[in-house]
């Protein structure tokens, strides 16, 4: 039910149903994960909660790294990437975040290669991040992957 409200962008009802899920089962890590997308101010807290409940949930590690890197905190971002590197080196978010690190360091060609690796491992999820990727590099990395008429990039 909560996911339906998220998809409809009805944040108030989504939060209500997610809080119900958490009340029924405080160990519902997926509820906290969903909450991390709804409440951006509490995203980091909720992702850490997910990891405390299920440290093998790699999506939480990846999103926590992304948030840290977007704040300019390379040290924390790099530390949050370790589980992705060791448990799932073919994870698109790992390469996306490594690309962010290279971008922050001014290594734009390395960032381009990393973003292309992210595409290789999960093009569908990368499309969700495509606005960020356009914003985060000096290159238009996806020109050969997207329709030129795609107006929201």
């Amino acid at each position: 039910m909560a996911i339906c409200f998220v998809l409809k962008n009805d944040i108030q009802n989504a939060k209500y149903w997610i809080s119900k899920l958490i009340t029924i089962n405080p160990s519902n890590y997926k509820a906290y994960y969903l909450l991390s997308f709804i409440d951006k101010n509490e995203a980091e807290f909720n992702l850490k909660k997910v990891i405390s409940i299920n440290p093998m949930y790699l999506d939480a590690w990846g999103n926590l790294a992304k948030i840290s890197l977007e704040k300019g905190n390379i040290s924390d971002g790099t530390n949050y990437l370790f589980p992705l590197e060791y448990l799932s080196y073919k994870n698109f978010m790992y390469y996306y975040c490594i690309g962010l690190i290279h971008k922050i360091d001014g290594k734009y060609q390395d960032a381009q290669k990393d973003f292309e690796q992210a595409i290789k491992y999960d093009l569908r999820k990368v499309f969700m991040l495509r606005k960020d990727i356009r914003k985060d590099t000096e290159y238009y990395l996806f020109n050969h992957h997207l329709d030129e008429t795609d107006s929201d990039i």
Side-chain angles (χ1 to χ4, degrees):
M1 184 73 109
I3 292 174
C4 292
F5 287 113
V6 171
L7 293 174
K8 291 173 75 174
N9 205 25
D10 185 348
I11 304 305
Q12 185 176 357
N13 279 320
K15 283 183 178 182
Y16 171 79
W17 286 105
I18 292 170
S19 69
K20 288 277 194 195
L21 289 170
I22 292 170
T23 301
I24 293 168
N25 179 5
S27 296
N28 187 336
Y29 66 92
K30 289 187 178 182
Y32 287 103
Y33 185 71
L34 187 57
L35 194 56
S36 74
F37 290 100
I38 294 171
D39 189 351
K40 298 293 184 187
N41 295 326
E42 294 292 320
E44 195 170 348
F45 171 81
N46 287 313
L47 290 168
K48 287 178 180 179
K49 184 72 174 175
V50 170
I51 291 167
S52 73
I53 296 168
N54 182 357
M56 298 300 288
Y57 197 64
L58 298 180
D59 288 347
W61 287 105
N63 282 308
L64 195 52
K66 180 180 178 279
I67 289 170
S68 294
L69 293 170
E70 287 172 345
K71 290 180 178 179
N73 191 338
I74 295 175
S75 177
D76 283 350
T78 303
N79 288 335
Y80 295 138
L81 287 176
F82 287 137
L84 293 177
E85 181 181 15
Y86 291 111
L87 298 174
S88 179
Y89 70 93
K90 291 184 178 182
N91 186 297
F92 89 98
M93 185 62 87
Y94 172 76
Y95 288 99
Y96 175 77
C97 289
I98 293 297
L100 289 178
I101 292 169
H102 284 137
K103 183 264 178 184
I104 291 168
D105 289 341
K107 299 176 181 175
Y108 298 111
Q109 289 181 337
D110 290 338
Q112 180 177 3
K113 289 176 187 173
D114 295 325
F115 290 133
E116 288 172 351
Q117 278 294 104
I119 291 169
K120 176 182 172 185
Y121 291 123
D122 198 334
L123 183 59
R124 292 171 302 142
K125 289 184 181 176
V126 171
F127 275 136
M128 292 186 290
L129 297 171
R130 64 186 175 202
K131 289 180 187 176
D132 292 338
I133 291 173
R134 173 65 66 85
K135 177 181 70 180
D136 287 334
T137 77
E138 299 298 321
Y139 303 98
Y140 289 3
L141 304 176
F142 299 111
N143 282 344
H144 60 286
H145 293 285
L146 296 178
D147 182 352
E148 301 247 336
T149 62
D150 196 346
S151 63
D152 67 340
I153 303 176

